[in-house]
Amino acid sequence: METYQKRGYLNSDFRIFHLKDQVDTEFDYHTHNFHKITIFISGNVQYFIEGKTYTLNPYDIVLVNRNDIHRIQVDSSIPYERIIVYISPGFMEAYRTTEYNLAYCFEQAREKQSYVLRIPSLETSSLYKTTQRLERSFHDHEYAGSLYRQILFLEFMIQLNRATLKEGIEYLDTKLYNKKVLDIMNYIQDHLTETISMDSLASVFYLSKYHMMRLFKAETGVTIGHYITYRRLLLARRYIHFGMPITDACFACGFQSYSAFSRAYKQEFKEPPRKLK
């Protein structure tokens, strides 16, 4: 079975990098077990996230939720400059109260199925000014520079969510996607715990089965079968994390046998499901 490659690493609440290079590698589709923010500064880059494609402008903000399927395509003839932040899910939960929720911008990105934010008027934007201060902080070698950078990051997250709430920032409505593929992904998510066959899926969307399978693979980098399994495994992990017995989680997520579930789980996450308990 195919698996999405896991990239990056995170052993703390968040990690922040300022990178400028000329990337000569085109990354395959992959996922992370943490949230990721990319603040694009310069270069010629296309981002592919959950079936959608975005051509980035300077200071666009890319939000990749934990487990979102994505890749980038970089023009290696031009330096690619960006700030990247890896954020643990636990860190986001720690900043969720009745008064505020720092994960709101990520939740909106998933709900709107739009993963790139654009600041409409840079000159007057508080978020843009905070982003510039965060960018400059990487050249700050004064006392407690790393701590200061963390404080600026929290300020950035607050300003980002304020801009999202006040609609002072635009969730891009990209035209670069295949509507059929996006509709198939949404249908799978809505019927994840039910039996989904290739024949029934093709009939729902009035497509030839083999054309549908080729189209989906070309747009997402993976087969429909693996996409269904991957989403079911993520749901099972969530159920188990919140206390559901492993066998119950297996069948509640649409798997027909425990052995198939256990085998797929170990192949995807490199550990048996009981390890999560």
Side-chain angles (χ1 to χ4, degrees):
M1 185 182 78
E2 299 170 86
T3 58
Y4 290 113
Q5 187 173 354
K6 303 290 190 298
R7 291 186 177 275
Y9 57 93
L10 185 64
N11 300 315
S12 56
D13 284 342
F14 67 87
R15 297 194 55 166
I16 186 166
F17 312 86
H18 183 203
L19 304 174
K20 185 176 182 179
D21 50 32
Q22 289 184 247
V23 181
D24 58 1
T25 302
E26 184 173 324
F27 294 108
D28 293 331
Y29 281 100
H30 60 282
T31 62
H32 303 293
N33 60 3
F34 48 81
H35 303 297
K36 177 183 175 183
I37 295 175
T38 300
I39 304 169
F40 175 69
I41 298 171
S42 64
N44 184 3
V45 174
Q46 280 195 318
Y47 234 101
F48 303 80
I49 310 172
E50 289 289 318
K52 290 193 170 184
T53 305
Y54 301 88
T55 301
L56 301 184
N57 285 353
Y59 293 96
D60 279 352
I61 299 166
V62 184
L63 300 176
V64 179
N65 277 276
R66 179 188 190 189
N67 299 317
D68 279 351
I69 301 159
H70 64 285
R71 73 179 179 92
I72 61 170
Q73 186 172 300
V74 181
D75 180 350
S76 61
S77 68
I78 302 171
Y80 172 30
E81 185 174 3
R82 68 276 191 202
I83 296 171
I84 295 177
V85 190
Y86 295 158
I87 311 168
S88 76
F91 177 79
M92 285 300 197
E93 284 303 311
Y95 284 90
R96 183 193 296 272
T97 72
T98 55
E99 183 186 350
Y100 53 79
N101 171 19
L102 288 190
Y104 178 77
C105 55
F106 281 98
E107 292 167 2
Q108 285 293 292
R110 178 161 286 173
E111 183 179 319
K112 295 174 182 288
Q113 293 187 313
S114 177
Y115 305 94
V116 174
L117 308 181
R118 182 160 292 165
I119 304 171
S121 180
L122 294 180
E123 296 76 12
T124 59
S125 167
S126 299
L127 176 59
Y128 173 63
K129 291 170 185 173
T130 303
T131 303
Q132 284 192 310
R133 289 167 61 204
L134 182 61
E135 184 183 349
R136 288 195 298 269
S137 74
F138 285 92
H139 305 289
D140 181 354
H141 303 294
E142 297 293 327
Y143 172 76
S146 61
L147 178 60
Y148 177 57
R149 193 153 48 246
Q150 292 180 35
I151 293 168
L152 285 176
F153 168 67
L154 281 174
E155 183 181 350
F156 167 81
M157 288 300 298
I158 291 168
Q159 293 290 356
L160 176 58
N161 280 286
R162 283 182 177 180
T164 302
L165 284 162
K166 294 178 180 176
E167 298 185 349
I169 195 166
E170 179 186 1
Y171 281 85
L172 290 190
D173 183 19
T174 179
K175 304 299 183 187
L176 301 175
Y177 65 93
N178 187 296
K179 188 176 185 306
K180 280 287 187 188
V181 171
L182 209 61
D183 288 345
I184 291 168
M185 294 171 79
N186 290 333
Y187 180 89
I188 289 169
Q189 193 61 42
D190 291 342
H191 298 82
L192 196 56
T193 61
E194 304 168 19
T195 300
I196 304 174
S197 70
M198 294 303 109
D199 288 324
S200 65
L201 201 56
S203 67
V204 168
F205 292 99
Y206 303 102
L207 292 171
S208 151
K209 178 171 72 172
Y210 297 106
H211 173 66
M212 176 187 71
M213 292 165 69
R214 285 194 299 270
L215 185 65
F216 193 93
K217 177 74 180 284
E219 291 290 326
T220 67
V222 74
T223 65
I224 294 176
H226 179 253
Y227 184 77
I228 293 170
T229 299
Y230 177 68
R231 288 299 174 195
R232 284 175 173 166
L233 289 172
L234 292 178
L235 182 59
R237 275 172 72 89
R238 179 176 174 81
Y239 285 162
I240 295 166
H241 175 75
F242 285 107
M244 183 180 285
I246 295 172
T247 304
D248 291 353
C250 155
F251 293 109
C253 294
F255 287 93
Q256 300 302 305
S257 74
Y258 181 80
S259 59
F261 164 72
S262 180
R263 186 167 56 249
Y265 191 101
K266 283 187 280 191
Q267 187 158 3
E268 187 67 47
F269 302 118
K270 311 306 178 192
E271 63 183 22
R274 65 176 179 275
K275 188 90 171 183
L276 188 61
K277 297 291 280 188

